Amino acid sequence: MTYCVGILVEDGLVMIADTRTNAGLDDISTFRKLHLFEVPGERVMALASAGNLSLTQSVVAMLAEGVEDPETGTRETLYEAPTMFRAAQLIGRAIRRVRAIEREGFEAAQLRFEVSFLFGGQIGDGPMRLYMVYSAGNFIACTQDAPFLQIGEHKYGKPILDRAVTFRTEIYDALKVGLISIDSTMRSNLGVGLPIDLVVVRRGTARTEVVHRIEAGEPYFHDLRERWSAALRAAHRAIPRPPYGPPSSS
Amino acid sequence: MTYCVGILVEDGLVMIADTRTNAGLDDISTFRKLHLFEVPGERVMALASAGNLSLTQSVVAMLAEGVEDPETGTRETLYEAPTMFRAAQLIGRAIRRVRAIEREGFEAAQLRFEVSFLFGGQIGDGPMRLYMVYSAGNFIACTQDAPFLQIGEHKYGKPILDRAVTFRTEIYDALKVGLISIDSTMRSNLGVGLPIDLVVVRRGTARTEVVHRIEAGEPYFHDLRERWSAALRAAHRAIPRPPYGPPSSS
């Protein structure tokens, strides 16, 4: 399993991804799922992936080496896309190219072609964007009304995002809430695990401000997990018991 | 969608179920999904259902009217089961009977036969039990190590249960945490909604202690939702910002 979350606030973009990959519960490995494409000051793009690892790696490799345009025969990489919208279209095209290559083998093996991506960043002084790209190559953009997108095992970590993130949330607070969302997922699903990769991009800078990997035992993340657990326990203790019981219990 | 949770603690049993049923997002109705079978002092059983409503209603009706034993031809209801284990087996048999009746029509319509049940209670001075019964009619019992079971849209509400419920949790605290779990699910998934049905059974009494329906606007549940939202906001605010940013941001 995988869990990745992207948050697009007024200040900029946060993307966080776990690194656990499993082919069955007895075959668990660590793979990077958060990929950066950066020319500092000119463009910065981050791509997080979920789904079949062989497919997502092929898409990422194709985006770095160049996706062929079937009409002109030319190849285009993410470094040449003029806008984030065109870059997201290029990812869609890469997904369709990989599908065309793998379809026969996948059908023979009765494997499902399942991939999804979060793609965020900014090119030049164009708009900062965060997209979710689906298996079919189509995509949606994150809006101010719901300033986050998730892929993979997303349900466990959604309640805290729903409650705590708005477009006005400060960017490092958004990062913190994203890490709490990751923690909630890890706590309830063993298929999502450390290390955690994260990137922070401030709007208008076209460069990464933070690129960091949280390894097991890192003091800040350990402290966040402890504090969050303690806070949740305190929070539900502070709520009165339901008034439905017999007089002696309420 | 549906969300039901059962919690089996030292003091007894809590079961909570929402009532929302939808056939597409534009056709949403309220149906009871929490059913009681009670002879106070002699036996008390609660059955919560998820899945196709026509199937779960048929199973519940059959359990009340009597499930035919294919070998002897006699009919048995939940009121005659001598133990909770035998009662759970009877539910399994009812599911298989409904499947036999509906299979042809479901296959023709390419519908999936999907049902699941939480079944808890106590018969006489036998052990109090909480089971999850699957579409195939097989079932598992709740244990002290993880004293809750969920059916339906279970992921949003699992993190709080994982953190806050143990076998030693007081029964009305368990009810409170269950309601928080329901709230987390309703907040993130519109397919789960009010009213909420709940039942509390104290161990060794063989009778319901509380049977209650929470309607929209009920003051306690409204207050619980407000307090929980406020507590979550306060909880994440109390956690320091990540130390990864540039000095000015940390």
Side-chain angles (χ1 to χ4, degrees):
Chain A
M1 283 309 302
T2 291
Y3 177 49
C4 306
V5 56
I7 308 175
L8 183 63
V9 291
E10 192 167 25
D11 302 333
L13 173 74
V14 170
M15 287 175 65
I16 314 174
D18 87 315
T19 54
R20 189 158 290 177
T21 296
N22 61 294
L25 282 176
D26 56 346
D27 186 8
I28 289 176
S29 307
T30 296
F31 283 92
R32 176 169 284 276
K33 302 172 195 170
L34 183 62
H35 305 271
L36 293 176
F37 300 81
E38 184 179 16
V39 180
E42 194 264 310
R43 69 179 62 212
V44 58
M45 295 168 287
L47 184 64
S49 59
N52 183 296
L53 186 66
S54 68
L55 300 177
T56 59
Q57 285 186 342
S58 293
V59 170
V60 172
M62 198 176 275
L63 289 165
E65 290 196 0
V67 187
E68 191 175 320
D69 183 326
E71 291 178 12
T72 65
T74 59
R75 287 173 177 273
E76 188 182 351
T77 73
L78 278 185
Y79 292 104
E80 290 140 25
T83 67
M84 284 297 292
F85 178 70
R86 292 281 292 276
Q89 286 184 310
L90 190 68
I91 296 170
R93 200 200 300 162
I95 294 171
R96 289 188 290 269
R97 290 286 294 157
V98 170
R99 183 193 289 270
I101 294 165
E102 304 292 350
R103 173 177 285 162
E104 191 183 330
F106 265 57
E107 285 180 358
Q110 294 192 303
L111 293 172
R112 294 183 62 177
F113 187 94
E114 283 188 329
V115 297
S116 56
F117 295 90
L118 294 181
F119 177 61
Q122 190 167 22
I123 297 174
D125 48 14
M128 179 167 250
R129 287 281 186 260
L130 172 62
Y131 295 105
M132 173 148 55
V133 191
Y134 300 98
S135 289
N138 55 330
F139 52 88
I140 60 170
C142 186
T143 66
Q144 292 190 19
D145 292 325
F148 62 89
L149 292 171
Q150 306 167 284
I151 55 174
E153 189 60 83
H154 65 282
K155 293 184 180 180
Y156 302 109
K158 186 165 183 284
I160 180 63
L161 294 167
D162 279 332
R163 292 170 189 282
V165 176
T166 73
F167 187 67
R168 306 277 173 232
T169 301
E170 197 274 341
I171 191 167
Y172 285 91
D173 282 337
L175 173 60
K176 182 175 73 177
V177 175
L179 292 175
I180 293 172
S181 174
I182 292 265
D183 171 51
S184 291
T185 310
M186 287 170 52
R187 182 78 169 71
S188 291
N189 188 319
L190 288 182
V192 176
L194 291 168
I196 300 296
D197 289 318
L198 64 92
V199 60
V200 176
V201 180
R202 196 168 289 277
R203 195 183 290 266
T205 64
R207 71 182 73 231
T208 55
E209 185 166 293
V210 176
V211 178
H212 183 69
R213 168 166 284 198
I214 299 174
E215 301 278 1
E218 188 191 285
Y220 173 75
F221 192 63
H222 179 81
D223 180 61
L224 175 142
R225 304 191 79 178
E226 294 288 315
R227 283 174 186 258
W228 183 245
S229 275
L232 284 193
R233 284 191 296 270
H236 80 79
R237 284 203 190 109
I239 296 175
R241 282 186 185 165
Y244 315 129
S248 60
S249 298
S250 60
Chain B
M1 283 306 305
T2 291
Y3 177 48
C4 307
V5 57
I7 308 176
L8 182 62
V9 292
E10 193 167 24
D11 301 333
L13 173 74
V14 170
M15 287 175 66
I16 314 173
D18 86 315
T19 54
R20 191 159 290 178
T21 296
N22 63 295
L25 281 176
D26 55 348
D27 185 8
I28 290 177
S29 308
T30 296
F31 283 92
R32 175 169 284 275
K33 301 173 193 169
L34 183 62
H35 304 271
L36 293 177
F37 300 82
E38 184 181 16
V39 181
E42 194 264 311
R43 69 179 59 213
V44 57
M45 295 169 287
L47 185 64
S49 59
N52 183 295
L53 185 66
S54 68
L55 300 177
T56 58
Q57 286 187 341
S58 294
V59 169
V60 172
M62 196 177 277
L63 288 166
E65 292 196 0
V67 188
E68 191 175 322
D69 183 327
E71 291 178 11
T72 65
T74 59
R75 286 172 176 274
E76 189 183 347
T77 73
L78 277 185
Y79 292 105
E80 290 141 25
T83 67
M84 284 296 292
F85 177 70
R86 292 279 293 276
Q89 286 184 309
L90 190 69
I91 296 169
R93 200 201 298 164
I95 294 170
R96 289 188 291 270
R97 290 286 296 158
V98 171
R99 182 192 291 270
I101 295 165
E102 304 292 350
R103 173 177 285 159
E104 191 183 329
F106 266 58
E107 284 180 0
Q110 295 191 304
L111 294 171
R112 293 183 62 181
F113 187 94
E114 282 187 330
V115 296
S116 55
F117 294 90
L118 294 181
F119 176 61
Q122 190 167 21
I123 296 174
D125 47 13
M128 181 168 249
R129 288 279 185 261
L130 173 63
Y131 295 104
M132 174 149 55
V133 190
Y134 300 99
S135 289
N138 56 329
F139 53 88
I140 61 169
C142 186
T143 66
Q144 292 190 19
D145 293 327
F148 62 87
L149 292 171
Q150 307 166 284
I151 55 174
E153 190 60 84
H154 65 281
K155 293 183 180 180
Y156 302 110
K158 187 165 181 283
I160 180 61
L161 294 167
D162 279 333
R163 291 170 190 281
V165 175
T166 73
F167 186 68
R168 305 276 173 233
T169 301
E170 197 275 339
I171 191 165
Y172 285 91
D173 281 340
L175 173 61
K176 182 176 72 177
V177 175
L179 291 174
I180 294 171
S181 173
I182 292 266
D183 171 51
S184 291
T185 310
M186 286 170 49
R187 183 80 169 74
S188 291
N189 188 320
L190 287 183
V192 176
L194 290 168
I196 300 296
D197 289 317
L198 64 90
V199 59
V200 176
V201 179
R202 194 167 291 273
R203 194 183 290 265
T205 63
R207 71 182 72 231
T208 54
E209 185 165 294
V210 176
V211 178
H212 184 69
R213 169 166 283 195
I214 300 174
E215 302 278 1
E218 188 193 282
Y220 172 75
F221 192 62
H222 179 81
D223 179 62
L224 175 142
R225 304 192 77 174
E226 294 290 315
R227 284 174 185 258
W228 183 245
S229 275
L232 285 191
R233 284 192 295 271
H236 80 79
R237 284 202 189 108
I239 296 175
R241 282 185 186 165
Y244 315 129
S248 61
S249 299
S250 60

